Structure formats: C-alpha cells, structure tokens
Amino acid sequence: MASPKRFAAIAAVYQAVRVAVRPGGPSLGERAGAFPRLVRAAITGEYTGISKGRLALMVAALAYIVSPLDLIPEFVMLAGLADDALVMAWLATQFVEETEAFLAWELAQVSPAYATTSGHAFPGGSSSSSHTVRGSVIR
C-alpha cells in the first residue's frame, strides 16, 4: 500500500501539471524565460515570493539530476532511477509553482488591474489577451 506522503507527492505533481497546461496560462518557454528574471529579482530583494534557500534547493536539485554521482547509483535496478525521478518531480513542481507566482507578481507590477484576490494575474484563461512584461509576452 502506498504511503500518504507518496500520495501527497503524486497529488502535487498532478496539480503542477494541471496549472502548467491550463488554457491561457504561460507556456513552458515563457516560464523558462521568466526563471532568470525570478532569480535576479529574488536575489536583489525586489521579489519576496521565494526565499534564497528555496532557490538554492532548486539549483541543488538540478545539479543532483545532471550529476553522475547519486545517493543510489543507477545500476541498482529501479531504485537508482527512482531517486532521480523523485527529485525531478519535486523540481518540476517547484518550477511551475514558483514561475506561476512570479509571472502573476510581474504582471501585477505592470498592470495592477489584472491582479486578483487569488494571487493569479492571468485574466480569465483567455489566450487571446497578451501582455508584454520586461521583454516577455505573457498570455
């Protein structure tokens, strides 16, 4: 039987995927383009929606995934791949959640009329509206 923690991890990944692919939301390219701006704004203190510790964990997770050194080596059957998969699932979830919040914050800085009480600044899921924020188009 699967543990409650495993169900929580699966639910978090599922929710992140739903947010990432919703109609009218930012594309993966827009999210990837926003990430360097997120890092820069967080380091300078302009954006306080993410801690420097969380950023460091995300960088460490990426380094762990691409590194040939693992806690559980790949030659140990499925367990060797499972640790990379778990770290990758966490990183993908964090990436979607953090870029979602950052893009909403960034859009609210430019156009406060689109800010909502839920914290998401993407109006009504309409893919026809687009906004330029610091060189990126946000739909």
Side-chain angles (χ1 to χ4, degrees):
M1 188 142 225
S3 71
K5 288 182 181 179
R6 191 172 297 158
F7 282 129
I10 291 169
V13 170
Y14 174 75
Q15 180 63 27
V17 169
R18 283 190 56 213
V19 167
V21 299
R22 77 181 187 292
S27 70
L28 181 59
E30 290 167 332
R31 290 175 188 280
F35 196 73
R37 294 192 314 271
L38 182 154
V39 171
R40 191 175 320 112
I43 289 173
T44 63
E46 181 183 359
Y47 176 64
T48 59
I50 187 171
S51 69
K52 292 176 185 169
R54 172 69 50 113
L55 279 175
L57 282 174
M58 292 175 74
V59 169
L62 182 60
Y64 181 80
I65 291 167
V66 300
S67 170
L69 302 175
D70 283 338
L71 292 177
I72 304 172
E74 267 66 27
F75 65 81
V76 180
M77 300 302 275
L78 293 177
L81 296 175
D83 70 326
D84 285 346
L86 288 173
V87 172
M88 192 176 301
W90 178 83
L91 181 59
T93 301
Q94 295 305 303
F95 177 77
V96 168
E97 290 174 359
E98 297 301 342
T99 56
E100 183 79 12
F102 177 74
L103 287 168
W105 172 83
E106 199 173 48
L107 187 59
Q109 299 302 307
V110 173
S111 179
Y114 284 108
T116 66
T117 57
S118 68
H120 299 289
F122 302 103
S126 170
S127 60
S128 61
S129 64
S130 63
H131 309 280
T132 302
V133 177
R134 296 186 189 167
S136 295
V137 175
I138 299 176
R139 293 189 184 112

